[in-house]
């Protein structure tokens, strides 16, 4: 079976850094996705890690450790528009999603 | 390049009715996956179609069925609707199960 765990909620101040952790246990694994989802909208792609290590894309970075079944998404220089749900998903031809982490950015 | 589109945007049905949701995949993509997202939850995998054949199914009853057409567009059919079927239904297309691009979703409400 698939088990994807991430925190339910996180709150941070504008300009700060937030790290969202994700642990996974899956029967098959090709890589790990991070998606951003605003309320009432579809998920939008943020990053995809296949190999161990850190991938940086502007203000967002994602890390993967396959041996530990662990990933994190790092959001830097937080802006109000970053308030959203962040979903991690393990890829095994299909995506197995966590329940999502709601990030609230306060002024 | 045309993105993933879904229709309708919103739909209201009553218990026991049947519904068909539609998805047009992104140009060049041959794989379509369907997900159900209940309020406050992450998307749950329903099934995937690859080149018109079902290529895997999640933990959903047989009243959830689908089709993929030669142009790789897809339908999701749900029979005998139940209240718990109320959710956002997401379609995602990809090329050979690589990065999946999501459509805007169909919000289904069952009364």
């Amino acid at each position: 079976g698939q088990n994807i765990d991430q925190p339910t909620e996180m709150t941070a101040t504008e300009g700060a850094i937030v790290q969202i952790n994700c642990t996974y246990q899956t029967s098959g694994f090709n890589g790990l996705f991070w998606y951003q989802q605003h309320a009432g909208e579809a998920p939008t792609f943020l990053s995809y890690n296949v190999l161990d290590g850190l991938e940086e894309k502007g203000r967002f970075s994602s890390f993967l450790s396959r041996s530990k079944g662990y990933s994190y998404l790092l959001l830097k220089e937080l802006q109000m528009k970053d308030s959203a749900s962040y979903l991690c998903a393990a890829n095994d031809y299909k995506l197995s999603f966590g329940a999502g982490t709601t990030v609230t950015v306060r002024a | 390049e045309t993105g993933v589109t879904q229709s309708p945007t919103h739909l209201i049905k009553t218990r026991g009715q049947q519904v068909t949701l539609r998805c047009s995949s992104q140009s060049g993509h041959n794989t379509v996956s369907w997900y159900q997202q209940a309020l406050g939850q992450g998307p749950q995998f329903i099934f995937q179609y690859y080149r018109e054949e079902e290529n895997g199914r999640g933990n959903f009853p047989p009243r959830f069925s689908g089709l993929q057409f030669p142009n790789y567009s897809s339908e999701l059919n749900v029979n005998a609707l139940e209240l718990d079927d109320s959710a956002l239904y997401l379609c995602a297309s990809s090329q050979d199960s690589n990065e999946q691009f999501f459509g805007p979703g169909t919000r289904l409400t069952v009364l």
Side-chain angles (χ1 to χ4, degrees), chain B residues 50-85:
Chain B
Y50 171 70
R51 296 189 175 188
E52 303 179 61
E53 298 287 330
E54 187 177 288
N55 183 43
R57 187 179 183 92
N59 189 26
F60 281 82
R63 59 190 185 84
F64 285 77
S65 63
L67 280 174
Q68 188 178 34
F69 300 100
N71 66 354
Y72 302 132
S73 65
S74 177
E75 286 182 355
L76 164 65
N77 298 291
V78 188
N79 293 323
L81 282 167
E82 301 176 359
L83 295 179
D84 286 349
D85 296 333

PDB file of all heavy atoms in Angstrom, chain B residues 50-85:
ATOM      1  N   TYR B  50      -3.988   4.374 -20.777  1.00  0.00           N
ATOM      2  CA  TYR B  50      -2.805   4.530 -21.639  1.00  0.00           C
ATOM      3  C   TYR B  50      -3.153   3.921 -22.984  1.00  0.00           C
ATOM      4  O   TYR B  50      -3.450   2.720 -23.072  1.00  0.00           O
ATOM      5  CB  TYR B  50      -1.610   3.825 -21.008  1.00  0.00           C
ATOM      6  CG  TYR B  50      -0.388   3.735 -21.891  1.00  0.00           C
ATOM      7  CD1 TYR B  50       0.348   4.877 -22.204  1.00  0.00           C
ATOM      8  CD2 TYR B  50       0.039   2.514 -22.412  1.00  0.00           C
ATOM      9  CE1 TYR B  50       1.467   4.807 -23.017  1.00  0.00           C
ATOM     10  CE2 TYR B  50       1.162   2.435 -23.218  1.00  0.00           C
ATOM     11  CZ  TYR B  50       1.874   3.579 -23.522  1.00  0.00           C
ATOM     12  OH  TYR B  50       2.988   3.505 -24.323  1.00  0.00           O
ATOM     13  N   ARG B  51      -3.132   4.758 -24.004  1.00  0.00           N
ATOM     14  CA  ARG B  51      -3.432   4.307 -25.372  1.00  0.00           C
ATOM     15  C   ARG B  51      -4.713   3.470 -25.416  1.00  0.00           C
ATOM     16  O   ARG B  51      -4.729   2.356 -25.941  1.00  0.00           O
ATOM     17  CB  ARG B  51      -2.257   3.534 -25.954  1.00  0.00           C
ATOM     18  CG  ARG B  51      -1.023   4.414 -26.093  1.00  0.00           C
ATOM     19  CD  ARG B  51       0.082   3.747 -26.861  1.00  0.00           C
ATOM     20  NE  ARG B  51       1.196   4.677 -27.063  1.00  0.00           N
ATOM     21  CZ  ARG B  51       2.250   4.433 -27.840  1.00  0.00           C
ATOM     22  NH1 ARG B  51       2.335   3.298 -28.497  1.00  0.00           N
ATOM     23  NH2 ARG B  51       3.200   5.323 -27.957  1.00  0.00           N
ATOM     24  N   GLU B  52      -5.766   4.015 -24.818  1.00  0.00           N
ATOM     25  CA  GLU B  52      -7.136   3.492 -24.855  1.00  0.00           C
ATOM     26  C   GLU B  52      -7.369   2.270 -23.965  1.00  0.00           C
ATOM     27  O   GLU B  52      -8.477   1.722 -23.955  1.00  0.00           O
ATOM     28  CB  GLU B  52      -7.573   3.170 -26.292  1.00  0.00           C
ATOM     29  CG  GLU B  52      -7.487   4.362 -27.236  1.00  0.00           C
ATOM     30  CD  GLU B  52      -7.899   4.014 -28.655  1.00  0.00           C
ATOM     31  OE1 GLU B  52      -9.061   3.600 -28.852  1.00  0.00           O
ATOM     32  OE2 GLU B  52      -7.056   4.164 -29.562  1.00  0.00           O
ATOM     33  N   GLU B  53      -6.364   1.839 -23.217  1.00  0.00           N
ATOM     34  CA  GLU B  53      -6.532   0.698 -22.314  1.00  0.00           C
ATOM     35  C   GLU B  53      -6.380   1.148 -20.859  1.00  0.00           C
ATOM     36  O   GLU B  53      -5.528   2.001 -20.559  1.00  0.00           O
ATOM     37  CB  GLU B  53      -5.482  -0.380 -22.606  1.00  0.00           C
ATOM     38  CG  GLU B  53      -5.551  -0.983 -23.994  1.00  0.00           C
ATOM     39  CD  GLU B  53      -6.741  -1.912 -24.155  1.00  0.00           C
ATOM     40  OE1 GLU B  53      -7.169  -2.524 -23.157  1.00  0.00           O
ATOM     41  OE2 GLU B  53      -7.250  -2.022 -25.285  1.00  0.00           O
ATOM     42  N   GLU B  54      -7.171   0.553 -19.964  1.00  0.00           N
ATOM     43  CA  GLU B  54      -7.001   0.862 -18.544  1.00  0.00           C
ATOM     44  C   GLU B  54      -5.648   0.320 -18.091  1.00  0.00           C
ATOM     45  O   GLU B  54      -5.313  -0.844 -18.313  1.00  0.00           O
ATOM     46  CB  GLU B  54      -8.133   0.246 -17.714  1.00  0.00           C
ATOM     47  CG  GLU B  54      -8.080   0.694 -16.259  1.00  0.00           C
ATOM     48  CD  GLU B  54      -9.235   0.156 -15.424  1.00  0.00           C
ATOM     49  OE1 GLU B  54     -10.369   0.605 -15.597  1.00  0.00           O
ATOM     50  OE2 GLU B  54      -8.968  -0.732 -14.582  1.00  0.00           O
ATOM     51  N   ASN B  55      -4.902   1.187 -17.402  1.00  0.00           N
ATOM     52  CA  ASN B  55      -3.527   0.866 -17.019  1.00  0.00           C
ATOM     53  C   ASN B  55      -3.355   1.018 -15.515  1.00  0.00           C
ATOM     54  O   ASN B  55      -2.414   1.626 -15.051  1.00  0.00           O
ATOM     55  CB  ASN B  55      -2.564   1.807 -17.757  1.00  0.00           C
ATOM     56  CG  ASN B  55      -1.125   1.494 -17.474  1.00  0.00           C
ATOM     57  OD1 ASN B  55      -0.726   0.335 -17.450  1.00  0.00           O
ATOM     58  ND2 ASN B  55      -0.310   2.516 -17.237  1.00  0.00           N
ATOM     59  N   GLY B  56      -4.286   0.473 -14.767  1.00  0.00           N
ATOM     60  CA  GLY B  56      -4.191   0.570 -13.317  1.00  0.00           C
ATOM     61  C   GLY B  56      -5.419   1.227 -12.737  1.00  0.00           C
ATOM     62  O   GLY B  56      -6.014   2.117 -13.362  1.00  0.00           O
ATOM     63  N   ARG B  57      -5.793   0.802 -11.556  1.00  0.00           N
ATOM     64  CA  ARG B  57      -7.010   1.280 -10.915  1.00  0.00           C
ATOM     65  C   ARG B  57      -6.774   1.403  -9.423  1.00  0.00           C
ATOM     66  O   ARG B  57      -6.114   0.553  -8.822  1.00  0.00           O
ATOM     67  CB  ARG B  57      -8.143   0.280 -11.190  1.00  0.00           C
ATOM     68  CG  ARG B  57      -9.488   0.737 -10.730  1.00  0.00           C
ATOM     69  CD  ARG B  57     -10.562  -0.298 -11.063  1.00  0.00           C
ATOM     70  NE  ARG B  57     -11.863   0.195 -10.666  1.00  0.00           N
ATOM     71  CZ  ARG B  57     -12.684   0.869 -11.455  1.00  0.00           C
ATOM     72  NH1 ARG B  57     -12.352   1.082 -12.710  1.00  0.00           N
ATOM     73  NH2 ARG B  57     -13.845   1.308 -11.014  1.00  0.00           N
ATOM     74  N   GLY B  58      -7.330   2.443  -8.842  1.00  0.00           N
ATOM     75  CA  GLY B  58      -7.253   2.623  -7.403  1.00  0.00           C
ATOM     76  C   GLY B  58      -8.402   1.907  -6.714  1.00  0.00           C
ATOM     77  O   GLY B  58      -9.117   1.106  -7.310  1.00  0.00           O
ATOM     78  N   ASN B  59      -8.604   2.235  -5.443  1.00  0.00           N
ATOM     79  CA  ASN B  59      -9.592   1.546  -4.629  1.00  0.00           C
ATOM     80  C   ASN B  59     -10.972   2.185  -4.790  1.00  0.00           C
ATOM     81  O   ASN B  59     -11.517   2.769  -3.861  1.00  0.00           O
ATOM     82  CB  ASN B  59      -9.148   1.578  -3.166  1.00  0.00           C
ATOM     83  CG  ASN B  59     -10.000   0.693  -2.288  1.00  0.00           C
ATOM     84  OD1 ASN B  59     -10.589  -0.276  -2.762  1.00  0.00           O
ATOM     85  ND2 ASN B  59     -10.067   1.034  -1.013  1.00  0.00           N
ATOM     86  N   PHE B  60     -11.539   2.086  -5.968  1.00  0.00           N
ATOM     87  CA  PHE B  60     -12.864   2.623  -6.262  1.00  0.00           C
ATOM     88  C   PHE B  60     -13.751   1.507  -6.793  1.00  0.00           C
ATOM     89  O   PHE B  60     -13.270   0.625  -7.502  1.00  0.00           O
ATOM     90  CB  PHE B  60     -12.759   3.763  -7.291  1.00  0.00           C
ATOM     91  CG  PHE B  60     -12.325   5.065  -6.680  1.00  0.00           C
ATOM     92  CD1 PHE B  60     -10.986   5.320  -6.437  1.00  0.00           C
ATOM     93  CD2 PHE B  60     -13.254   6.029  -6.327  1.00  0.00           C
ATOM     94  CE1 PHE B  60     -10.576   6.508  -5.844  1.00  0.00           C
ATOM     95  CE2 PHE B  60     -12.860   7.222  -5.738  1.00  0.00           C
ATOM     96  CZ  PHE B  60     -11.516   7.458  -5.494  1.00  0.00           C
ATOM     97  N   PRO B  61     -15.052   1.552  -6.453  1.00  0.00           N
ATOM     98  CA  PRO B  61     -15.958   0.474  -6.879  1.00  0.00           C
ATOM     99  C   PRO B  61     -16.182   0.481  -8.393  1.00  0.00           C
ATOM    100  O   PRO B  61     -15.905   1.484  -9.061  1.00  0.00           O
ATOM    101  CB  PRO B  61     -17.263   0.789  -6.125  1.00  0.00           C
ATOM    102  CG  PRO B  61     -17.190   2.249  -5.852  1.00  0.00           C
ATOM    103  CD  PRO B  61     -15.736   2.564  -5.637  1.00  0.00           C
ATOM    104  N   PRO B  62     -16.725  -0.611  -8.927  1.00  0.00           N
ATOM    105  CA  PRO B  62     -16.935  -0.739 -10.382  1.00  0.00           C
ATOM    106  C   PRO B  62     -17.892   0.290 -10.967  1.00  0.00           C
ATOM    107  O   PRO B  62     -17.893   0.490 -12.188  1.00  0.00           O
ATOM    108  CB  PRO B  62     -17.520  -2.155 -10.526  1.00  0.00           C
ATOM    109  CG  PRO B  62     -17.069  -2.879  -9.315  1.00  0.00           C
ATOM    110  CD  PRO B  62     -17.023  -1.863  -8.218  1.00  0.00           C
ATOM    111  N   ARG B  63     -18.708   0.961 -10.125  1.00  0.00           N
ATOM    112  CA  ARG B  63     -19.607   1.964 -10.682  1.00  0.00           C
ATOM    113  C   ARG B  63     -18.838   3.192 -11.193  1.00  0.00           C
ATOM    114  O   ARG B  63     -19.408   4.054 -11.850  1.00  0.00           O
ATOM    115  CB  ARG B  63     -20.683   2.354  -9.673  1.00  0.00           C
ATOM    116  CG  ARG B  63     -20.165   2.905  -8.375  1.00  0.00           C
ATOM    117  CD  ARG B  63     -21.297   3.049  -7.336  1.00  0.00           C
ATOM    118  NE  ARG B  63     -20.771   3.692  -6.128  1.00  0.00           N
ATOM    119  CZ  ARG B  63     -20.673   4.999  -6.016  1.00  0.00           C
ATOM    120  NH1 ARG B  63     -21.084   5.784  -7.001  1.00  0.00           N
ATOM    121  NH2 ARG B  63     -20.175   5.531  -4.906  1.00  0.00           N
ATOM    122  N   PHE B  64     -17.528   3.241 -10.896  1.00  0.00           N
ATOM    123  CA  PHE B  64     -16.637   4.230 -11.504  1.00  0.00           C
ATOM    124  C   PHE B  64     -16.001   3.543 -12.716  1.00  0.00           C
ATOM    125  O   PHE B  64     -15.274   2.543 -12.569  1.00  0.00           O
ATOM    126  CB  PHE B  64     -15.538   4.672 -10.538  1.00  0.00           C
ATOM    127  CG  PHE B  64     -16.005   5.611  -9.464  1.00  0.00           C
ATOM    128  CD1 PHE B  64     -16.708   5.134  -8.371  1.00  0.00           C
ATOM    129  CD2 PHE B  64     -15.728   6.964  -9.536  1.00  0.00           C
ATOM    130  CE1 PHE B  64     -17.143   5.994  -7.364  1.00  0.00           C
ATOM    131  CE2 PHE B  64     -16.149   7.834  -8.536  1.00  0.00           C
ATOM    132  CZ  PHE B  64     -16.859   7.350  -7.453  1.00  0.00           C
ATOM    133  N   SER B  65     -16.281   4.066 -13.886  1.00  0.00           N
ATOM    134  CA  SER B  65     -15.711   3.468 -15.090  1.00  0.00           C
ATOM    135  C   SER B  65     -15.213   4.579 -16.008  1.00  0.00           C
ATOM    136  O   SER B  65     -15.562   5.754 -15.832  1.00  0.00           O
ATOM    137  CB  SER B  65     -16.739   2.611 -15.815  1.00  0.00           C
ATOM    138  OG  SER B  65     -17.827   3.407 -16.259  1.00  0.00           O
ATOM    139  N   GLY B  66     -14.418   4.182 -17.000  1.00  0.00           N
ATOM    140  CA  GLY B  66     -13.857   5.201 -17.873  1.00  0.00           C
ATOM    141  C   GLY B  66     -13.635   4.700 -19.277  1.00  0.00           C
ATOM    142  O   GLY B  66     -13.828   3.517 -19.599  1.00  0.00           O
ATOM    143  N   LEU B  67     -13.240   5.655 -20.105  1.00  0.00           N
ATOM    144  CA  LEU B  67     -12.925   5.372 -21.499  1.00  0.00           C
ATOM    145  C   LEU B  67     -11.816   6.308 -21.913  1.00  0.00           C
ATOM    146  O   LEU B  67     -11.734   7.437 -21.420  1.00  0.00           O
ATOM    147  CB  LEU B  67     -14.132   5.670 -22.391  1.00  0.00           C
ATOM    148  CG  LEU B  67     -15.271   4.687 -22.513  1.00  0.00           C
ATOM    149  CD1 LEU B  67     -16.378   5.315 -23.351  1.00  0.00           C
ATOM    150  CD2 LEU B  67     -14.797   3.393 -23.132  1.00  0.00           C
ATOM    151  N   GLN B  68     -11.007   5.853 -22.870  1.00  0.00           N
ATOM    152  CA  GLN B  68     -10.100   6.768 -23.550  1.00  0.00           C
ATOM    153  C   GLN B  68     -10.306   6.588 -25.043  1.00  0.00           C
ATOM    154  O   GLN B  68     -10.422   5.456 -25.534  1.00  0.00           O
ATOM    155  CB  GLN B  68      -8.639   6.526 -23.174  1.00  0.00           C
ATOM    156  CG  GLN B  68      -7.700   7.597 -23.738  1.00  0.00           C
ATOM    157  CD  GLN B  68      -6.261   7.400 -23.336  1.00  0.00           C
ATOM    158  OE1 GLN B  68      -5.791   6.275 -23.190  1.00  0.00           O
ATOM    159  NE2 GLN B  68      -5.517   8.495 -23.185  1.00  0.00           N
ATOM    160  N   PHE B  69     -10.337   7.669 -25.758  1.00  0.00           N
ATOM    161  CA  PHE B  69     -10.619   7.663 -27.184  1.00  0.00           C
ATOM    162  C   PHE B  69      -9.330   7.729 -27.994  1.00  0.00           C
ATOM    163  O   PHE B  69      -8.270   8.036 -27.446  1.00  0.00           O
ATOM    164  CB  PHE B  69     -11.541   8.836 -27.513  1.00  0.00           C
ATOM    165  CG  PHE B  69     -12.860   8.768 -26.774  1.00  0.00           C
ATOM    166  CD1 PHE B  69     -13.069   9.518 -25.634  1.00  0.00           C
ATOM    167  CD2 PHE B  69     -13.877   7.917 -27.209  1.00  0.00           C
ATOM    168  CE1 PHE B  69     -14.254   9.434 -24.931  1.00  0.00           C
ATOM    169  CE2 PHE B  69     -15.073   7.835 -26.511  1.00  0.00           C
ATOM    170  CZ  PHE B  69     -15.260   8.587 -25.375  1.00  0.00           C
ATOM    171  N   PRO B  70      -9.433   7.441 -29.311  1.00  0.00           N
ATOM    172  CA  PRO B  70      -8.221   7.443 -30.148  1.00  0.00           C
ATOM    173  C   PRO B  70      -7.451   8.763 -30.111  1.00  0.00           C
ATOM    174  O   PRO B  70      -6.240   8.776 -30.322  1.00  0.00           O
ATOM    175  CB  PRO B  70      -8.761   7.147 -31.539  1.00  0.00           C
ATOM    176  CG  PRO B  70      -9.986   6.333 -31.293  1.00  0.00           C
ATOM    177  CD  PRO B  70     -10.596   6.916 -30.047  1.00  0.00           C
ATOM    178  N   ASN B  71      -8.139   9.874 -29.850  1.00  0.00           N
ATOM    179  CA  ASN B  71      -7.418  11.153 -29.759  1.00  0.00           C
ATOM    180  C   ASN B  71      -6.892  11.400 -28.340  1.00  0.00           C
ATOM    181  O   ASN B  71      -6.405  12.487 -28.043  1.00  0.00           O
ATOM    182  CB  ASN B  71      -8.332  12.308 -30.178  1.00  0.00           C
ATOM    183  CG  ASN B  71      -9.488  12.529 -29.221  1.00  0.00           C
ATOM    184  OD1 ASN B  71      -9.698  11.768 -28.287  1.00  0.00           O
ATOM    185  ND2 ASN B  71     -10.255  13.578 -29.477  1.00  0.00           N
ATOM    186  N   TYR B  72      -6.995  10.384 -27.485  1.00  0.00           N
ATOM    187  CA  TYR B  72      -6.502  10.378 -26.112  1.00  0.00           C
ATOM    188  C   TYR B  72      -7.327  11.196 -25.144  1.00  0.00           C
ATOM    189  O   TYR B  72      -6.973  11.272 -23.962  1.00  0.00           O
ATOM    190  CB  TYR B  72      -5.019  10.769 -26.028  1.00  0.00           C
ATOM    191  CG  TYR B  72      -4.109   9.868 -26.831  1.00  0.00           C
ATOM    192  CD1 TYR B  72      -3.148  10.400 -27.681  1.00  0.00           C
ATOM    193  CD2 TYR B  72      -4.243   8.491 -26.753  1.00  0.00           C
ATOM    194  CE1 TYR B  72      -2.343   9.563 -28.435  1.00  0.00           C
ATOM    195  CE2 TYR B  72      -3.438   7.655 -27.504  1.00  0.00           C
ATOM    196  CZ  TYR B  72      -2.482   8.193 -28.350  1.00  0.00           C
ATOM    197  OH  TYR B  72      -1.681   7.360 -29.091  1.00  0.00           O
ATOM    198  N   SER B  73      -8.435  11.756 -25.585  1.00  0.00           N
ATOM    199  CA  SER B  73      -9.345  12.358 -24.624  1.00  0.00           C
ATOM    200  C   SER B  73     -10.004  11.232 -23.821  1.00  0.00           C
ATOM    201  O   SER B  73      -9.909  10.051 -24.186  1.00  0.00           O
ATOM    202  CB  SER B  73     -10.401  13.203 -25.325  1.00  0.00           C
ATOM    203  OG  SER B  73     -11.234  12.385 -26.126  1.00  0.00           O
ATOM    204  N   SER B  74     -10.655  11.591 -22.735  1.00  0.00           N
ATOM    205  CA  SER B  74     -11.144  10.547 -21.830  1.00  0.00           C
ATOM    206  C   SER B  74     -12.446  10.953 -21.171  1.00  0.00           C
ATOM    207  O   SER B  74     -12.781  12.142 -21.081  1.00  0.00           O
ATOM    208  CB  SER B  74     -10.081  10.288 -20.753  1.00  0.00           C
ATOM    209  OG  SER B  74     -10.516   9.330 -19.808  1.00  0.00           O
ATOM    210  N   GLU B  75     -13.191   9.957 -20.745  1.00  0.00           N
ATOM    211  CA  GLU B  75     -14.405  10.157 -19.963  1.00  0.00           C
ATOM    212  C   GLU B  75     -14.325   9.375 -18.660  1.00  0.00           C
ATOM    213  O   GLU B  75     -13.759   8.283 -18.623  1.00  0.00           O
ATOM    214  CB  GLU B  75     -15.636   9.653 -20.734  1.00  0.00           C
ATOM    215  CG  GLU B  75     -16.071  10.513 -21.874  1.00  0.00           C
ATOM    216  CD  GLU B  75     -17.338   9.971 -22.549  1.00  0.00           C
ATOM    217  OE1 GLU B  75     -17.809   8.873 -22.181  1.00  0.00           O
ATOM    218  OE2 GLU B  75     -17.828  10.665 -23.452  1.00  0.00           O
ATOM    219  N   LEU B  76     -14.924   9.957 -17.641  1.00  0.00           N
ATOM    220  CA  LEU B  76     -15.131   9.260 -16.377  1.00  0.00           C
ATOM    221  C   LEU B  76     -16.630   9.152 -16.179  1.00  0.00           C
ATOM    222  O   LEU B  76     -17.323  10.168 -16.239  1.00  0.00           O
ATOM    223  CB  LEU B  76     -14.495  10.044 -15.226  1.00  0.00           C
ATOM    224  CG  LEU B  76     -14.928   9.677 -13.798  1.00  0.00           C
ATOM    225  CD1 LEU B  76     -14.495   8.262 -13.443  1.00  0.00           C
ATOM    226  CD2 LEU B  76     -14.341  10.668 -12.796  1.00  0.00           C
ATOM    227  N   ASN B  77     -17.128   7.944 -15.977  1.00  0.00           N
ATOM    228  CA  ASN B  77     -18.542   7.719 -15.731  1.00  0.00           C
ATOM    229  C   ASN B  77     -18.733   7.208 -14.310  1.00  0.00           C
ATOM    230  O   ASN B  77     -17.992   6.326 -13.858  1.00  0.00           O
ATOM    231  CB  ASN B  77     -19.097   6.675 -16.711  1.00  0.00           C
ATOM    232  CG  ASN B  77     -18.978   7.133 -18.141  1.00  0.00           C
ATOM    233  OD1 ASN B  77     -19.656   8.055 -18.565  1.00  0.00           O
ATOM    234  ND2 ASN B  77     -18.091   6.502 -18.889  1.00  0.00           N
ATOM    235  N   VAL B  78     -19.715   7.759 -13.639  1.00  0.00           N
ATOM    236  CA  VAL B  78     -20.058   7.284 -12.303  1.00  0.00           C
ATOM    237  C   VAL B  78     -21.549   6.965 -12.274  1.00  0.00           C
ATOM    238  O   VAL B  78     -22.379   7.836 -12.562  1.00  0.00           O
ATOM    239  CB  VAL B  78     -19.727   8.311 -11.199  1.00  0.00           C
ATOM    240  CG1 VAL B  78     -19.921   7.684  -9.819  1.00  0.00           C
ATOM    241  CG2 VAL B  78     -18.306   8.834 -11.337  1.00  0.00           C
ATOM    242  N   ASN B  79     -21.873   5.723 -11.977  1.00  0.00           N
ATOM    243  CA  ASN B  79     -23.269   5.292 -11.888  1.00  0.00           C
ATOM    244  C   ASN B  79     -23.742   5.297 -10.443  1.00  0.00           C
ATOM    245  O   ASN B  79     -22.926   5.265  -9.511  1.00  0.00           O
ATOM    246  CB  ASN B  79     -23.410   3.871 -12.448  1.00  0.00           C
ATOM    247  CG  ASN B  79     -23.144   3.811 -13.929  1.00  0.00           C
ATOM    248  OD1 ASN B  79     -23.508   4.731 -14.669  1.00  0.00           O
ATOM    249  ND2 ASN B  79     -22.479   2.762 -14.373  1.00  0.00           N
ATOM    250  N   ALA B  80     -25.053   5.301 -10.281  1.00  0.00           N
ATOM    251  CA  ALA B  80     -25.669   5.179  -8.950  1.00  0.00           C
ATOM    252  C   ALA B  80     -25.002   6.110  -7.948  1.00  0.00           C
ATOM    253  O   ALA B  80     -24.471   5.674  -6.914  1.00  0.00           O
ATOM    254  CB  ALA B  80     -25.601   3.725  -8.483  1.00  0.00           C
ATOM    255  N   LEU B  81     -25.006   7.396  -8.251  1.00  0.00           N
ATOM    256  CA  LEU B  81     -24.303   8.386  -7.440  1.00  0.00           C
ATOM    257  C   LEU B  81     -24.714   8.330  -5.968  1.00  0.00           C
ATOM    258  O   LEU B  81     -25.891   8.164  -5.640  1.00  0.00           O
ATOM    259  CB  LEU B  81     -24.566   9.785  -7.991  1.00  0.00           C
ATOM    260  CG  LEU B  81     -23.753  10.152  -9.236  1.00  0.00           C
ATOM    261  CD1 LEU B  81     -24.312  11.414  -9.874  1.00  0.00           C
ATOM    262  CD2 LEU B  81     -22.279  10.327  -8.891  1.00  0.00           C
ATOM    263  N   GLU B  82     -23.700   8.493  -5.109  1.00  0.00           N
ATOM    264  CA  GLU B  82     -23.912   8.559  -3.662  1.00  0.00           C
ATOM    265  C   GLU B  82     -23.460   9.938  -3.174  1.00  0.00           C
ATOM    266  O   GLU B  82     -22.679  10.624  -3.838  1.00  0.00           O
ATOM    267  CB  GLU B  82     -23.113   7.455  -2.975  1.00  0.00           C
ATOM    268  CG  GLU B  82     -23.484   6.056  -3.433  1.00  0.00           C
ATOM    269  CD  GLU B  82     -22.625   4.968  -2.812  1.00  0.00           C
ATOM    270  OE1 GLU B  82     -21.714   5.298  -2.018  1.00  0.00           O
ATOM    271  OE2 GLU B  82     -22.857   3.774  -3.124  1.00  0.00           O
ATOM    272  N   LEU B  83     -23.939  10.299  -1.990  1.00  0.00           N
ATOM    273  CA  LEU B  83     -23.600  11.603  -1.435  1.00  0.00           C
ATOM    274  C   LEU B  83     -22.082  11.784  -1.323  1.00  0.00           C
ATOM    275  O   LEU B  83     -21.542  12.869  -1.588  1.00  0.00           O
ATOM    276  CB  LEU B  83     -24.242  11.797  -0.061  1.00  0.00           C
ATOM    277  CG  LEU B  83     -25.768  11.844  -0.022  1.00  0.00           C
ATOM    278  CD1 LEU B  83     -26.259  12.016   1.413  1.00  0.00           C
ATOM    279  CD2 LEU B  83     -26.305  12.958  -0.901  1.00  0.00           C
ATOM    280  N   ASP B  84     -21.382  10.706  -0.946  1.00  0.00           N
ATOM    281  CA  ASP B  84     -19.926  10.765  -0.766  1.00  0.00           C
ATOM    282  C   ASP B  84     -19.155  10.940  -2.068  1.00  0.00           C
ATOM    283  O   ASP B  84     -17.936  11.130  -2.040  1.00  0.00           O
ATOM    284  CB  ASP B  84     -19.424   9.492  -0.063  1.00  0.00           C
ATOM    285  CG  ASP B  84     -19.771   9.494   1.416  1.00  0.00           C
ATOM    286  OD1 ASP B  84     -20.197  10.554   1.917  1.00  0.00           O
ATOM    287  OD2 ASP B  84     -19.615   8.442   2.067  1.00  0.00           O
ATOM    288  N   ASP B  85     -19.853  10.864  -3.194  1.00  0.00           N
ATOM    289  CA  ASP B  85     -19.185  11.097  -4.476  1.00  0.00           C
ATOM    290  C   ASP B  85     -18.981  12.586  -4.729  1.00  0.00           C
ATOM    291  O   ASP B  85     -18.307  12.964  -5.690  1.00  0.00           O
ATOM    292  CB  ASP B  85     -19.991  10.484  -5.630  1.00  0.00           C
ATOM    293  CG  ASP B  85     -20.086   8.966  -5.527  1.00  0.00           C
ATOM    294  OD1 ASP B  85     -19.173   8.349  -4.930  1.00  0.00           O
ATOM    295  OD2 ASP B  85     -21.070   8.398  -6.056  1.00  0.00           O
TER     296      ASP B  85
END
